[in-house]
Amino acid sequence: MSHDRNSVGTAFAEALRMTSALMRDPAYKSYQTVDFVNIGRHAAGEAHRLLPTDPEAARYALITGASRMLAAAERLENPEPIITLPSDRPENAALMVIQ
């Protein structure tokens, strides 16, 4: 598999696949960017803990964490625009996400 004309390994390809699946999931919009960063950080910590005893589980944790970090980076690059609908009083204004 290649990405940007560079050969990538199976771990990177799996992280990209997981990121893509995550971004298509309807629940994606319910997470904040910081949530993805926190999940990625937690997964890296788990990988570090598992590395001496279970390399396969450590690899999976790293790939999962990488996919969440990629989702966070994508969110930062393409934030969802939010508009405030007009209202007679600002405290009654409604927020709507435009896709």
Side-chain angles (χ1 to χ4, degrees):
M1 178 177 218
S2 66
H3 181 72
D4 291 337
R5 288 183 254 175
N6 294 317
S7 178
V8 297
T10 58
F12 186 68
E14 183 67 11
L16 288 177
R17 186 197 64 74
M18 288 175 78
T19 303
S20 180
L22 175 66
M23 293 174 66
R24 285 191 308 270
D25 189 319
Y28 174 75
K29 294 178 183 179
S30 66
Y31 287 95
Q32 295 180 6
T33 304
V34 71
D35 296 329
F36 293 127
V37 174
N38 287 337
I39 293 167
R41 183 179 66 185
H42 175 75
E46 282 297 297
H48 189 269
R49 183 181 66 77
L50 292 166
L51 192 57
T53 58
D54 192 347
E56 187 176 328
R59 180 183 184 277
Y60 182 77
L62 287 170
I63 292 169
T64 300
S67 72
R68 285 2 183 224
M69 292 293 192
L70 288 170
E74 283 295 320
R75 175 79 59 82
L76 290 172
E77 185 178 346
N78 300 306
E80 297 178 76
I82 297 177
I83 63 167
T84 303
L85 297 177
S87 174
D88 57 338
R89 301 185 59 146
E91 63 270 15
N92 293 333
L95 292 179
M96 182 171 73
V97 176
I98 304 298
Q99 294 181 345

